[in-house]
Amino acid sequence: MDLDALYKKCLQCPRRCSANRVETTGFCREPSDLRIAFAGLHFGEEPLITVFGGSGTIFFTGCTLRCAFCQNYQISQDGLGRTVDRSEFVDICLKLQAAGAENINLVTGSHHIPKIAGYLRAARDGGVTVPFCWNSSAYESVEMLELLKGLVTIWLPDLKTLNGQMSRGLFAAPDYPDAATKAISWMIKNNPLKIESIPEPPNAKPAEWAEPGQPRDKMMSGVIVRHLFMPGKFEQTADVLAWLKENADERAIISLMNQYTPVPFKESREHLEARQRALAHLENRLVNAQEFEDIQDLIQAYNFEYLFYQELSDDTSWLPDFTRPQPFSNKLATPVWHY
């Protein structure tokens, strides 16, 4: 594969911006160098991913979207992170595995799929045996996802909205619904669910959702489709769940998240003004009790085979700050590497 050619006229994501990322940056604000901001064990993912040891997350710098409400804006939009080569990437994966990671969770790498695919092959050759997990917005082309076939077996795509007007305003991507549903359909088709029961190891970390001393389910292959409920946008969540019922139920797991949280952005006045204009497309607040009750009624009506949903909470302490070596609370993550 000619990596230079794929970066000199970049058509990797659905934007197909044609930027020469060898010399400059694309819409993703990233050059051809692969950059990472943080790696560590994460205990806040879905139970099938966290299991006992936590998910070995690697947060890549840059993103194919510009979500106005992004909690990871420091790395997805503002450029925190540094370049790592293949050797250092493999070393990070090995450190996560040695620390007990149940998987290597690749967060927001959609703008670097060809390079990451090569790095994953090197990681396998270098001794990484745990599953690779692809954690993305699903704003990706099927052509690029094909490069990850046989390397990634666990998929954590978002399905943010099926409303093109909303995705234009909030993500600068009016084609998001079409691109995301095609990508998710490909993931489901190519990655059947495989879940194993894992006995509790000695000195296992307690979990609020699990009984001590009992085995826990671990995903080895399959798709968990995530949807974040947007405050004041109940009808859009209903549309997303209707699509998932028809296209994903019994073949993938649904994860409905209620954690939308206004982020205290620290940016230039120009960036903040642009962000506020985009945020006008929704109600920038926490989910309220009535909305949570309505969501529960909705998911009960759909009766999904396998669905996770978050309990309502007004706790915002989980919001990360990637300028710190420990971006999360100690409860949520154990750092292994920082830029």
Side-chain angles (χ1 to χ4, degrees), residues 26-39:
F27 181 93
C28 59
R29 298 181 177 173
E30 286 300 298
S32 59
D33 291 339
L34 187 146
R35 300 198 300 145
I36 293 173
F38 171 80

Side-chain angles (χ1 to χ4, degrees), residues 171-183:
F171 321 142
D175 61 334
Y176 175 85
D178 182 61
T181 51
K182 285 180 180 176

Side-chain angles (χ1 to χ4, degrees), residues 43 58 68 223 227 333:
F43 296 92
I58 299 176
V223 182
H227 173 68

Side-chain angles (χ1 to χ4, degrees), residues 105-218:
N105 187 338
L106 309 157
V107 185
T108 316
S110 307
H111 49 298
H112 272 303
I113 290 178
K115 186 164 285 188
I116 291 173
Y119 283 20
L120 296 185
R121 284 190 289 271
R124 279 283 180 255
D125 293 341
V128 176
T129 59
V130 296
F132 289 116
C133 172
W134 191 256
N135 187 335
S136 76
S137 70
Y139 191 57
E140 297 158 318
S141 74
V142 169
E143 179 185 9
M144 288 293 105
L145 293 177
E146 286 281 348
L147 300 178
L148 297 172
K149 186 185 289 187
L151 294 167
V152 172
T153 58
I154 302 171
W155 302 77
L156 300 181
D158 292 336
L159 184 53
K160 297 176 183 291
T161 182
L162 295 177
N163 185 302
Q165 183 177 358
M166 185 171 179
S167 64
R168 179 194 297 274
L170 283 172
F171 321 142
D175 61 334
Y176 175 85
D178 182 61
T181 51
K182 285 180 180 176
I184 290 170
S185 295
W186 179 93
M187 294 173 190
I188 293 172
K189 179 182 178 181
N190 288 281
N191 298 274
L193 285 172
K194 180 182 178 183
I195 298 171
E196 296 182 356
S197 181
I198 307 298
E200 181 177 292
N203 303 316
K205 186 181 179 72
E208 295 176 358
W209 45 266
E211 291 291 331
Q214 297 300 308
R216 299 180 191 175
D217 286 344
K218 177 177 179 176

